[in-house]
Amino acid sequence: MTASLKTQSHWFVLYTKPRAEKKLAEQLREDGIESYCPTQIKVKQWSDRKKKIEIPILPSMILVNIKDDERDKVFNRRHAVRYLYWLGQPAKVTSEEVESLRSMLEDSQFESQGLEKLKPGEKLDMTALGFEHIQGTVKFVTAQECWIVLENLGYVLKFKRN
């Protein structure tokens, strides 16, 4: 690997201990490491009350933007487990995919789309739905729910209408 590639930062997928995603992301930011824990607001029902809570959409995973030669710094925090690997290399996520994920979750444009037009197995260019630089495959769809497989992450995003 050349020296310039080692000093260039990339987004990596980092596994966390269960239910420690938000905490680890915050701790890494305190350490000066850019991290992102994508979340979604859900309403939880208990026997005596309802409450809106923020739930990570990538369970036990966060995204970190760090230089290749500094990747071990995340393990200074006890909630970091390991990096996700793809074909023997640490899995990298493009900046465009991270920004698209951010804008998708912030804008909540997904809620206003006509889900009934989507079919399972359909290759989906998310820009057609108002998102940028995300491509995926529709895995499951109903009038209230849609699962989209993000090939580069090897992950399924599940969306439900409230």
Side-chain angles (χ1 to χ4, degrees), residues 120-135:
E122 179 179 347
K123 292 288 183 187
L124 190 60
D125 178 7
M126 299 295 280
T127 57
L129 294 176
F131 311 121
E132 298 178 18
H133 309 292
I134 290 183
Q135 295 193 6

Side-chain angles (χ1 to χ4, degrees), residues 50-132:
K50 287 184 180 181
K51 185 176 181 181
K52 288 184 180 181
I53 59 171
E54 190 176 28
I55 298 175
I57 64 168
L58 301 172
S60 296
M61 289 186 242
I62 62 171
L63 302 170
V64 294
N65 189 11
I66 195 166
K67 295 176 183 176
D68 284 29
D69 60 349
E70 296 179 352
R71 284 187 306 120
D72 289 343
K73 287 184 176 182
V74 300
F75 299 113
N76 292 337
R77 295 296 184 160
R78 65 184 184 106
H79 297 296
V81 176
R82 65 179 176 88
Y83 285 101
L84 173 70
Y85 276 73
W86 179 256
L87 301 174
Q89 298 291 320
K92 294 179 182 175
V93 181
T94 66
S95 294
E96 291 83 14
E97 289 171 320
V98 173
E99 289 308 312
S100 295
L101 186 57
R102 283 184 207 257
S103 66
M104 178 177 69
L105 292 172
E106 288 171 4
D107 295 342
S108 300
Q109 293 176 358
F110 177 82
E111 295 292 329
S112 65
Q113 302 304 320
L115 300 181
E116 60 279 352
K117 296 178 183 176
L118 301 175
K119 305 280 185 255
E122 179 179 347
K123 292 288 183 187
L124 190 60
D125 178 7
M126 299 295 280
T127 57
L129 294 176
F131 311 121
E132 298 178 18

